[in-house]
Amino acid sequence: MAPHLVHSHAHEGDIPGTVDLRAAEGDDTAYGQALFPVPAEDPNDPLQWPKWKKHMILIICSLYSFLSNSSLLGPSVYIGVFAETFQISPVVASGLISYPNICYGVGTLITVPAYLKFGRRPVMLLSLLVYLVGLIGCGVSNSYGSLMACRLIHALASGVCEALPVQLVNDIFFLHERGNKLGYYTVCLCWGSTGPLYAGYMLAGGYSWRLFFYVETAFAGLLLILGFLFVEETTYKRRSPNGPAIPNPNGEKRVFGQDELDGKSSEEKVEHVVEVETMVPPRRSFVQTLKPCYFLVPAVLWVVTTYGIYIGLGALVFNYTFPIKIIAPPYNWKQENAGLIALGNLIGYGLAVPLVWTSDRLAAYLTKRNGGIREAEMRLGVLIPAAFIAPAGLIVYGYTAQDNLQWIGYFAGVAMTDWASYFYFTFTLAYAVDSYNANTSEMLIAMCIGKQMISFAFGIYVLDWVVQSGYVTIVAGIFCGVLFANNVFVFVFMAYGKRIRTFYAGTWLARWHKRTIRQVMTH
């Protein structure tokens, strides 16, 4: 039975982030709008793959994100244990989480150019293998130096999870599906912050901190097998001026009759032919792939600050401060219970997941009201409640810690902040990708490095800061103010986002980006 091939005449407008989704007769549609990107009439086009294959790839890359993030943050509950074992201070011991956190983002400097050159599948499998080796090394380390080295290795390798899942979602899903699918990836990434919960209870079972790395190793091995079996290469060259671009892995010229392109039988052949030739651009240098000028693009800078601030708060500030507070008077909890703050993560993200559809539906509704023209800003309205709930969560957490209030305050503050962070993680990223789809891979590098640097700045000295100035001043004051200032930019982009995109399209920066386009993810 021949596969069903979808048809669409949707196209992107002259302004980045504006797409004409008005359906023509015979188009396949979603929410009454034409499908975008326009798929090739080829069953090998990832957009034409069956749903089970697409979702299997999404599940595997999302689980990898969960696993890598949990291994990155889980040992935060062992800061006191590491300090005692290796005879170092808690601040030095916290470096076993802070420095791998930087590598997690910096790893994209290697992995993104690699998957552009060699493909998504081989890079993902190799990263899983190196990640596995790093975890094994952590489990057998006997010194602070060797443990740090192995932590940096597995964090550097698994940093591909910061960019590749976004790339895969754009490779295999249509525009109207992406906010929803990115949401599932995001929740797995966010729930990785529950790693300290599992790590803490492994101590409660009477086991060494090494068991955590052994368990992570076992799951990484299983994921490597699943990736090998189910993650197919998603790179596909779809654009062609004369018709659907049939991929040619050998790079030679091939000639296709119009009957081949249209799927006609031999009796219906026509005279003329269309030449389709694979265009291979010259390989750019490593430095050229870094694209530091992407930090000048407002939507990209907003994603960088959003991720950096929320990761710095949720992954580092909460996980560093809660274990210290909760094992001390007046709470006096056991060390193995110090990871229970992850319940706040579970509650916050768990309450947000059922609302993952809201962004795509809101954008579809506003597109219909706009005569079938999609603007990138149409999905941003769902961020408004989150803009205020997250800062309120920091105020709750800061006052609870400062005044030793009821322990429930810690969980409430974390749940509120994480509930809001889920929306900002998912939909600011979707907005940036919708707005600027040229050189998206390099844009992801800029995002990943920038946000890890910001989150590192939030976490590296937070223990010293709260001792010197107090939780109210640092968490409920400074951090809350920075977060709120970042969040309210949603109103700026909702009101002026299209004007910003229009202005950007005529600048030297846009012209420079167009001259250096490596790939367009949404075509």
Side-chain angles (χ1 to χ4, degrees), residues 60-72 104 131 161 185 187-195 198 216 219 223 346:
I60 291 172
C61 72
S62 297
L63 288 177
Y64 189 15
S65 297
F66 168 81
L67 199 64
S68 65
N69 208 29
S70 65
S71 65
L72 181 68
Y104 196 64
Y131 171 65
C161 293
Y185 148 70
V187 75
C188 287
L189 182 68
C190 294
W191 267 341
S193 61
T194 60
Y198 322 127
E216 291 275 353
F219 282 109
L223 203 59
L346 287 171

